[in-house]
Amino acid sequence: MELDRNGLEVLGRDACLSLLRTVPMGRLGLSMNALPVVLPVSFVVDRDRLVVRTSRGTKLDAALTGAVVAFEADDFDPRTGDAWSVLVRGSTAVLGAPPAQPPPVGDRALWVGDAADQWVAISTDLVSGRRFRRHP
């Protein structure tokens, strides 16, 4: 097991993507009007990319320009004190209007409003993660 300089377990790409499959929400960081913004999104991992469902506006505008974005998700178990965090950096692409190319979401509902009529994919070009275990 590899540890970083703070004693946190360094997670490999496959472990990171597996952990992302366990949570329904994450945070999408992008530039809006030349300023950074972080927005909560519901997402799924579809093969080797992340997919969010959104409506016209900030996220879709960024996707239309092929923006490079950051995506972060994490989890914390208050009972054990164990935690993990995964950071993905990649570019966006519009997949089309549902159900044009819906990802295989399985039994996970994507948290979206009624106006969310676009699928946006995020490539997983750079993936990193850390895990903290109170009792290794």
Side-chain angles (χ1 to χ4, degrees):
M1 171 185 352
E2 180 185 350
L3 300 178
D4 70 8
R5 61 186 168 92
N6 296 311
L8 301 177
E9 178 185 354
V10 176
L11 301 172
R13 179 184 182 82
D14 290 341
C16 288
L17 293 176
S18 291
L19 286 169
L20 288 176
R21 287 182 175 92
T22 69
V23 294
M25 299 290 297
R27 286 157 291 286
L28 181 62
L30 51 92
S31 179
M32 185 171 79
N33 298 324
L35 295 172
V37 63
V38 177
L39 303 168
V41 294
S42 108
F43 74 101
V44 293
V45 178
D46 176 29
R47 296 182 302 271
D48 202 29
R49 65 185 180 183
L50 307 179
V51 177
V52 300
R53 188 171 171 187
T54 189
S55 56
R56 301 199 184 280
T58 303
K59 290 173 277 201
L60 184 60
D61 291 345
L64 289 171
T65 63
V68 174
V69 299
F71 176 89
E72 191 274 342
D74 52 57
D75 198 19
F76 170 73
D77 184 338
R79 186 180 50 78
T80 64
D82 293 352
W84 60 264
S85 175
V86 170
L87 174 63
V88 173
R89 287 167 283 179
S91 57
T92 57
V94 175
L95 299 179
Q101 294 181 334
V105 297
D107 59 359
R108 182 185 291 180
L110 290 178
W111 171 78
V112 292
D114 292 338
D117 63 352
Q118 297 291 313
W119 296 110
V120 174
I122 303 166
S123 64
T124 55
D125 300 336
L126 299 170
V127 179
S128 61
R130 302 289 185 271
R131 181 182 350 241
F132 171 80
R133 295 185 192 265
R134 182 170 287 177
H135 305 288

mmCIF file of all heavy atoms in Angstrom, residues 83-124:
data_model
loop_
_atom_site.group_PDB
_atom_site.id
_atom_site.type_symbol
_atom_site.label_atom_id
_atom_site.label_comp_id
_atom_site.label_asym_id
_atom_site.label_seq_id
_atom_site.Cartn_x
_atom_site.Cartn_y
_atom_site.Cartn_z
ATOM 1 N N ALA A 83 -12.550 7.581 5.643
ATOM 2 C CA ALA A 83 -12.961 8.546 4.627
ATOM 3 C C ALA A 83 -12.164 8.335 3.359
ATOM 4 O O ALA A 83 -11.074 7.764 3.393
ATOM 5 C CB ALA A 83 -12.755 9.971 5.145
ATOM 6 N N TRP A 84 -12.716 8.805 2.250
ATOM 7 C CA TRP A 84 -11.986 8.790 0.984
ATOM 8 C C TRP A 84 -12.400 10.006 0.161
ATOM 9 O O TRP A 84 -13.458 10.583 0.380
ATOM 10 C CB TRP A 84 -12.197 7.501 0.198
ATOM 11 C CG TRP A 84 -13.624 7.207 -0.187
ATOM 12 C CD1 TRP A 84 -14.507 6.398 0.481
ATOM 13 C CD2 TRP A 84 -14.336 7.704 -1.334
ATOM 14 N NE1 TRP A 84 -15.717 6.366 -0.157
ATOM 15 C CE2 TRP A 84 -15.634 7.168 -1.278
ATOM 16 C CE3 TRP A 84 -14.012 8.548 -2.378
ATOM 17 C CZ2 TRP A 84 -16.613 7.436 -2.240
ATOM 18 C CZ3 TRP A 84 -14.972 8.833 -3.341
ATOM 19 C CH2 TRP A 84 -16.252 8.272 -3.261
ATOM 20 N N SER A 85 -11.544 10.360 -0.778
ATOM 21 C CA SER A 85 -11.806 11.461 -1.695
ATOM 22 C C SER A 85 -11.181 11.121 -3.039
ATOM 23 O O SER A 85 -10.060 10.619 -3.091
ATOM 24 C CB SER A 85 -11.197 12.757 -1.147
ATOM 25 O OG SER A 85 -11.356 13.805 -2.078
ATOM 26 N N VAL A 86 -11.931 11.402 -4.114
ATOM 27 C CA VAL A 86 -11.450 11.152 -5.467
ATOM 28 C C VAL A 86 -11.584 12.440 -6.282
ATOM 29 O O VAL A 86 -12.617 13.106 -6.236
ATOM 30 C CB VAL A 86 -12.239 10.008 -6.150
ATOM 31 C CG1 VAL A 86 -11.904 9.914 -7.631
ATOM 32 C CG2 VAL A 86 -11.964 8.689 -5.458
ATOM 33 N N LEU A 87 -10.534 12.760 -7.030
ATOM 34 C CA LEU A 87 -10.509 13.928 -7.905
ATOM 35 C C LEU A 87 -10.315 13.457 -9.344
ATOM 36 O O LEU A 87 -9.400 12.670 -9.624
ATOM 37 C CB LEU A 87 -9.363 14.866 -7.517
ATOM 38 C CG LEU A 87 -9.107 16.062 -8.425
ATOM 39 C CD1 LEU A 87 -10.304 17.002 -8.431
ATOM 40 C CD2 LEU A 87 -7.847 16.783 -7.979
ATOM 41 N N VAL A 88 -11.178 13.924 -10.236
ATOM 42 C CA VAL A 88 -11.087 13.614 -11.668
ATOM 43 C C VAL A 88 -10.925 14.926 -12.413
ATOM 44 O O VAL A 88 -11.619 15.899 -12.128
ATOM 45 C CB VAL A 88 -12.364 12.896 -12.167
ATOM 46 C CG1 VAL A 88 -12.343 12.729 -13.679
ATOM 47 C CG2 VAL A 88 -12.546 11.559 -11.475
ATOM 48 N N ARG A 89 -10.010 14.934 -13.360
ATOM 49 C CA ARG A 89 -9.870 16.088 -14.249
ATOM 50 C C ARG A 89 -9.964 15.588 -15.685
ATOM 51 O O ARG A 89 -9.329 14.601 -16.043
ATOM 52 C CB ARG A 89 -8.555 16.804 -14.007
ATOM 53 C CG ARG A 89 -8.612 17.573 -12.665
ATOM 54 C CD ARG A 89 -7.295 18.045 -12.214
ATOM 55 N NE ARG A 89 -6.566 16.894 -11.660
ATOM 56 C CZ ARG A 89 -5.339 16.971 -11.192
ATOM 57 N NH1 ARG A 89 -4.680 18.096 -11.218
ATOM 58 N NH2 ARG A 89 -4.757 15.906 -10.696
ATOM 59 N N GLY A 90 -10.793 16.269 -16.463
ATOM 60 C CA GLY A 90 -10.991 15.855 -17.841
ATOM 61 C C GLY A 90 -11.780 16.894 -18.602
ATOM 62 O O GLY A 90 -12.128 17.947 -18.076
ATOM 63 N N SER A 91 -12.096 16.572 -19.844
ATOM 64 C CA SER A 91 -12.842 17.507 -20.681
ATOM 65 C C SER A 91 -14.285 17.041 -20.822
ATOM 66 O O SER A 91 -14.607 15.872 -20.624
ATOM 67 C CB SER A 91 -12.181 17.643 -22.046
ATOM 68 O OG SER A 91 -12.088 16.377 -22.669
ATOM 69 N N THR A 92 -15.139 17.986 -21.162
ATOM 70 C CA THR A 92 -16.562 17.713 -21.259
ATOM 71 C C THR A 92 -16.987 17.538 -22.715
ATOM 72 O O THR A 92 -16.345 18.029 -23.630
ATOM 73 C CB THR A 92 -17.370 18.871 -20.649
ATOM 74 O OG1 THR A 92 -17.011 20.086 -21.327
ATOM 75 C CG2 THR A 92 -17.101 19.018 -19.169
ATOM 76 N N ALA A 93 -18.097 16.837 -22.884
ATOM 77 C CA ALA A 93 -18.697 16.664 -24.207
ATOM 78 C C ALA A 93 -20.188 16.450 -24.025
ATOM 79 O O ALA A 93 -20.613 15.744 -23.106
ATOM 80 C CB ALA A 93 -18.089 15.466 -24.928
ATOM 81 N N VAL A 94 -20.981 17.045 -24.880
ATOM 82 C CA VAL A 94 -22.428 16.848 -24.853
ATOM 83 C C VAL A 94 -22.749 15.542 -25.561
ATOM 84 O O VAL A 94 -22.292 15.312 -26.683
ATOM 85 C CB VAL A 94 -23.154 18.026 -25.534
ATOM 86 C CG1 VAL A 94 -24.652 17.765 -25.607
ATOM 87 C CG2 VAL A 94 -22.878 19.315 -24.786
ATOM 88 N N LEU A 95 -23.515 14.690 -24.913
ATOM 89 C CA LEU A 95 -23.900 13.415 -25.512
ATOM 90 C C LEU A 95 -25.215 13.515 -26.254
ATOM 91 O O LEU A 95 -25.513 12.687 -27.099
ATOM 92 C CB LEU A 95 -24.013 12.329 -24.438
ATOM 93 C CG LEU A 95 -22.736 12.021 -23.673
ATOM 94 C CD1 LEU A 95 -23.002 10.954 -22.624
ATOM 95 C CD2 LEU A 95 -21.636 11.580 -24.622
ATOM 96 N N GLY A 96 -26.043 14.473 -25.898
ATOM 97 C CA GLY A 96 -27.337 14.644 -26.550
ATOM 98 C C GLY A 96 -28.452 14.702 -25.536
ATOM 99 O O GLY A 96 -28.234 14.613 -24.334
ATOM 100 N N ALA A 97 -29.649 14.866 -26.033
ATOM 101 C CA ALA A 97 -30.816 14.964 -25.171
ATOM 102 C C ALA A 97 -31.314 13.578 -24.811
ATOM 103 O O ALA A 97 -31.375 12.709 -25.665
ATOM 104 C CB ALA A 97 -31.918 15.747 -25.878
ATOM 105 N N PRO A 98 -31.668 13.354 -23.533
ATOM 106 C CA PRO A 98 -32.260 12.074 -23.163
ATOM 107 C C PRO A 98 -33.542 11.869 -23.959
ATOM 108 O O PRO A 98 -34.260 12.820 -24.192
ATOM 109 C CB PRO A 98 -32.559 12.241 -21.676
ATOM 110 C CG PRO A 98 -31.645 13.324 -21.222
ATOM 111 C CD PRO A 98 -31.502 14.242 -22.410
ATOM 112 N N PRO A 99 -33.836 10.682 -24.385
ATOM 113 C CA PRO A 99 -33.046 9.475 -24.198
ATOM 114 C C PRO A 99 -32.100 9.198 -25.354
ATOM 115 O O PRO A 99 -31.799 8.039 -25.640
ATOM 116 C CB PRO A 99 -34.102 8.396 -24.081
ATOM 117 C CG PRO A 99 -35.187 8.855 -25.014
ATOM 118 C CD PRO A 99 -35.159 10.374 -24.946
ATOM 119 N N ALA A 100 -31.608 10.217 -26.038
ATOM 120 C CA ALA A 100 -30.762 10.026 -27.210
ATOM 121 C C ALA A 100 -29.624 9.047 -26.964
ATOM 122 O O ALA A 100 -29.453 8.098 -27.692
ATOM 123 C CB ALA A 100 -30.191 11.367 -27.677
ATOM 124 N N GLN A 101 -28.818 9.272 -25.945
ATOM 125 C CA GLN A 101 -27.728 8.370 -25.615
ATOM 126 C C GLN A 101 -27.624 8.234 -24.099
ATOM 127 O O GLN A 101 -26.631 8.621 -23.508
ATOM 128 C CB GLN A 101 -26.410 8.894 -26.168
ATOM 129 C CG GLN A 101 -26.342 8.921 -27.665
ATOM 130 C CD GLN A 101 -25.001 9.434 -28.149
ATOM 131 O OE1 GLN A 101 -24.318 10.180 -27.481
ATOM 132 N NE2 GLN A 101 -24.615 9.012 -29.327
ATOM 133 N N PRO A 102 -28.653 7.717 -23.459
ATOM 134 C CA PRO A 102 -28.579 7.645 -22.003
ATOM 135 C C PRO A 102 -27.524 6.645 -21.553
ATOM 136 O O PRO A 102 -27.352 5.604 -22.174
ATOM 137 C CB PRO A 102 -29.978 7.177 -21.598
ATOM 138 C CG PRO A 102 -30.471 6.425 -22.783
ATOM 139 C CD PRO A 102 -29.873 7.120 -23.985
ATOM 140 N N PRO A 103 -26.802 6.969 -20.498
ATOM 141 C CA PRO A 103 -25.847 6.003 -19.970
ATOM 142 C C PRO A 103 -26.591 4.900 -19.241
ATOM 143 O O PRO A 103 -27.741 5.086 -18.846
ATOM 144 C CB PRO A 103 -25.026 6.842 -18.989
ATOM 145 C CG PRO A 103 -25.972 7.889 -18.532
ATOM 146 C CD PRO A 103 -26.831 8.203 -19.726
ATOM 147 N N PRO A 104 -25.969 3.753 -19.058
ATOM 148 C CA PRO A 104 -26.619 2.680 -18.297
ATOM 149 C C PRO A 104 -26.582 3.019 -16.815
ATOM 150 O O PRO A 104 -25.615 2.746 -16.124
ATOM 151 C CB PRO A 104 -25.770 1.455 -18.623
ATOM 152 C CG PRO A 104 -24.427 2.011 -18.964
ATOM 153 C CD PRO A 104 -24.666 3.368 -19.563
ATOM 154 N N VAL A 105 -27.628 3.664 -16.322
ATOM 155 C CA VAL A 105 -27.631 4.116 -14.929
ATOM 156 C C VAL A 105 -28.072 3.029 -13.959
ATOM 157 O O VAL A 105 -27.997 3.222 -12.756
ATOM 158 C CB VAL A 105 -28.502 5.380 -14.745
ATOM 159 C CG1 VAL A 105 -27.945 6.531 -15.542
ATOM 160 C CG2 VAL A 105 -29.946 5.115 -15.113
ATOM 161 N N GLY A 106 -28.525 1.904 -14.457
ATOM 162 C CA GLY A 106 -28.944 0.827 -13.571
ATOM 163 C C GLY A 106 -30.085 1.286 -12.705
ATOM 164 O O GLY A 106 -31.032 1.898 -13.169
ATOM 165 N N ASP A 107 -29.984 1.022 -11.401
ATOM 166 C CA ASP A 107 -31.066 1.401 -10.507
ATOM 167 C C ASP A 107 -30.814 2.749 -9.844
ATOM 168 O O ASP A 107 -31.526 3.146 -8.944
ATOM 169 C CB ASP A 107 -31.290 0.319 -9.448
ATOM 170 C CG ASP A 107 -30.054 0.065 -8.598
ATOM 171 O OD1 ASP A 107 -29.007 0.704 -8.829
ATOM 172 O OD2 ASP A 107 -30.142 -0.773 -7.693
ATOM 173 N N ARG A 108 -29.798 3.483 -10.283
ATOM 174 C CA ARG A 108 -29.508 4.783 -9.681
ATOM 175 C C ARG A 108 -30.268 5.890 -10.407
ATOM 176 O O ARG A 108 -30.134 6.065 -11.597
ATOM 177 C CB ARG A 108 -28.016 5.097 -9.731
ATOM 178 C CG ARG A 108 -27.720 6.442 -9.057
ATOM 179 C CD ARG A 108 -26.310 6.849 -9.181
ATOM 180 N NE ARG A 108 -25.455 5.993 -8.403
ATOM 181 C CZ ARG A 108 -24.148 6.145 -8.339
ATOM 182 N NH1 ARG A 108 -23.558 7.101 -8.993
ATOM 183 N NH2 ARG A 108 -23.409 5.330 -7.616
ATOM 184 N N ALA A 109 -31.061 6.612 -9.663
ATOM 185 C CA ALA A 109 -31.756 7.763 -10.231
ATOM 186 C C ALA A 109 -30.813 8.958 -10.202
ATOM 187 O O ALA A 109 -30.087 9.159 -9.236
ATOM 188 C CB ALA A 109 -33.005 8.064 -9.420
ATOM 189 N N LEU A 110 -30.798 9.711 -11.274
ATOM 190 C CA LEU A 110 -29.992 10.918 -11.299
ATOM 191 C C LEU A 110 -30.825 12.066 -10.754
ATOM 192 O O LEU A 110 -31.917 12.335 -11.238
ATOM 193 C CB LEU A 110 -29.515 11.229 -12.724
ATOM 194 C CG LEU A 110 -28.484 10.274 -13.292
ATOM 195 C CD1 LEU A 110 -28.126 10.658 -14.718
ATOM 196 C CD2 LEU A 110 -27.243 10.252 -12.448
ATOM 197 N N TRP A 111 -30.291 12.718 -9.729
ATOM 198 C CA TRP A 111 -30.969 13.826 -9.076
ATOM 199 C C TRP A 111 -30.920 15.027 -9.994
ATOM 200 O O TRP A 111 -29.883 15.633 -10.199
ATOM 201 C CB TRP A 111 -30.255 14.119 -7.751
ATOM 202 C CG TRP A 111 -30.691 15.352 -7.058
ATOM 203 C CD1 TRP A 111 -31.829 15.513 -6.324
ATOM 204 C CD2 TRP A 111 -29.993 16.596 -6.990
ATOM 205 N NE1 TRP A 111 -31.867 16.775 -5.818
ATOM 206 C CE2 TRP A 111 -30.758 17.463 -6.206
ATOM 207 C CE3 TRP A 111 -28.798 17.067 -7.522
ATOM 208 C CZ2 TRP A 111 -30.376 18.767 -5.936
ATOM 209 C CZ3 TRP A 111 -28.412 18.369 -7.265
ATOM 210 C CH2 TRP A 111 -29.189 19.196 -6.472
ATOM 211 N N VAL A 112 -32.065 15.345 -10.586
ATOM 212 C CA VAL A 112 -32.120 16.458 -11.533
ATOM 213 C C VAL A 112 -33.503 17.072 -11.494
ATOM 214 O O VAL A 112 -34.467 16.457 -11.054
ATOM 215 C CB VAL A 112 -31.819 16.003 -12.984
ATOM 216 C CG1 VAL A 112 -30.382 15.576 -13.138
ATOM 217 C CG2 VAL A 112 -32.755 14.902 -13.413
ATOM 218 N N GLY A 113 -33.599 18.279 -11.982
ATOM 219 C CA GLY A 113 -34.888 18.939 -12.106
ATOM 220 C C GLY A 113 -35.590 18.521 -13.386
ATOM 221 O O GLY A 113 -35.017 17.860 -14.253
ATOM 222 N N ASP A 114 -36.816 18.931 -13.510
ATOM 223 C CA ASP A 114 -37.617 18.569 -14.671
ATOM 224 C C ASP A 114 -37.045 19.114 -15.977
ATOM 225 O O ASP A 114 -37.279 18.564 -17.039
ATOM 226 C CB ASP A 114 -39.044 19.082 -14.498
ATOM 227 C CG ASP A 114 -39.771 18.343 -13.380
ATOM 228 O OD1 ASP A 114 -39.363 17.213 -13.052
ATOM 229 O OD2 ASP A 114 -40.746 18.908 -12.852
ATOM 230 N N ALA A 115 -36.285 20.216 -15.904
ATOM 231 C CA ALA A 115 -35.757 20.840 -17.123
ATOM 232 C C ALA A 115 -34.442 20.204 -17.580
ATOM 233 O O ALA A 115 -33.891 20.601 -18.597
ATOM 234 C CB ALA A 115 -35.548 22.332 -16.892
ATOM 235 N N ALA A 116 -33.941 19.218 -16.852
ATOM 236 C CA ALA A 116 -32.658 18.587 -17.200
ATOM 237 C C ALA A 116 -32.854 17.691 -18.412
ATOM 238 O O ALA A 116 -33.331 16.575 -18.291
ATOM 239 C CB ALA A 116 -32.115 17.810 -16.013
ATOM 240 N N ASP A 117 -32.464 18.195 -19.571
ATOM 241 C CA ASP A 117 -32.738 17.456 -20.796
ATOM 242 C C ASP A 117 -31.490 17.194 -21.632
ATOM 243 O O ASP A 117 -31.576 16.948 -22.826
ATOM 244 C CB ASP A 117 -33.784 18.198 -21.632
ATOM 245 C CG ASP A 117 -33.298 19.564 -22.097
ATOM 246 O OD1 ASP A 117 -32.213 20.004 -21.659
ATOM 247 O OD2 ASP A 117 -34.002 20.191 -22.903
ATOM 248 N N GLN A 118 -30.320 17.236 -21.006
ATOM 249 C CA GLN A 118 -29.073 16.998 -21.722
ATOM 250 C C GLN A 118 -28.162 16.082 -20.917
ATOM 251 O O GLN A 118 -28.086 16.196 -19.686
ATOM 252 C CB GLN A 118 -28.334 18.317 -21.969
ATOM 253 C CG GLN A 118 -29.083 19.297 -22.843
ATOM 254 C CD GLN A 118 -29.179 18.849 -24.269
ATOM 255 O OE1 GLN A 118 -28.197 18.421 -24.868
ATOM 256 N NE2 GLN A 118 -30.364 18.945 -24.862
ATOM 257 N N TRP A 119 -27.449 15.187 -21.627
ATOM 258 C CA TRP A 119 -26.415 14.361 -21.019
ATOM 259 C C TRP A 119 -25.070 15.009 -21.305
ATOM 260 O O TRP A 119 -24.786 15.382 -22.430
ATOM 261 C CB TRP A 119 -26.400 12.953 -21.602
ATOM 262 C CG TRP A 119 -27.621 12.134 -21.368
ATOM 263 C CD1 TRP A 119 -28.548 11.758 -22.297
ATOM 264 C CD2 TRP A 119 -28.043 11.560 -20.136
ATOM 265 N NE1 TRP A 119 -29.522 10.994 -21.714
ATOM 266 C CE2 TRP A 119 -29.238 10.854 -20.385
ATOM 267 C CE3 TRP A 119 -27.537 11.580 -18.839
ATOM 268 C CZ2 TRP A 119 -29.930 10.168 -19.391
ATOM 269 C CZ3 TRP A 119 -28.220 10.899 -17.852
ATOM 270 C CH2 TRP A 119 -29.398 10.201 -18.124
ATOM 271 N N VAL A 120 -24.221 15.133 -20.295
ATOM 272 C CA VAL A 120 -22.873 15.670 -20.460
ATOM 273 C C VAL A 120 -21.888 14.639 -19.921
ATOM 274 O O VAL A 120 -22.048 14.147 -18.795
ATOM 275 C CB VAL A 120 -22.698 17.008 -19.719
ATOM 276 C CG1 VAL A 120 -21.251 17.472 -19.771
ATOM 277 C CG2 VAL A 120 -23.613 18.067 -20.322
ATOM 278 N N ALA A 121 -20.889 14.289 -20.724
ATOM 279 C CA ALA A 121 -19.857 13.344 -20.310
ATOM 280 C C ALA A 121 -18.610 14.113 -19.873
ATOM 281 O O ALA A 121 -18.310 15.175 -20.420
ATOM 282 C CB ALA A 121 -19.504 12.407 -21.457
ATOM 283 N N ILE A 122 -17.914 13.556 -18.912
ATOM 284 C CA ILE A 122 -16.633 14.094 -18.444
ATOM 285 C C ILE A 122 -15.602 12.982 -18.601
ATOM 286 O O ILE A 122 -15.762 11.898 -18.026
ATOM 287 C CB ILE A 122 -16.707 14.539 -16.974
ATOM 288 C CG1 ILE A 122 -17.806 15.578 -16.786
ATOM 289 C CG2 ILE A 122 -15.353 15.070 -16.505
ATOM 290 C CD1 ILE A 122 -18.180 15.826 -15.328
ATOM 291 N N SER A 123 -14.566 13.241 -19.383
ATOM 292 C CA SER A 123 -13.517 12.233 -19.543
ATOM 293 C C SER A 123 -12.729 12.102 -18.242
ATOM 294 O O SER A 123 -12.687 13.027 -17.436
ATOM 295 C CB SER A 123 -12.577 12.616 -20.692
ATOM 296 O OG SER A 123 -11.888 13.814 -20.396
ATOM 297 N N THR A 124 -12.134 10.952 -18.052
ATOM 298 C CA THR A 124 -11.362 10.703 -16.825
ATOM 299 C C THR A 124 -9.876 10.685 -17.171
ATOM 300 O O THR A 124 -9.184 9.689 -16.966
ATOM 301 C CB THR A 124 -11.802 9.385 -16.161
ATOM 302 O OG1 THR A 124 -11.697 8.328 -17.121
ATOM 303 C CG2 THR A 124 -13.234 9.464 -15.660
#
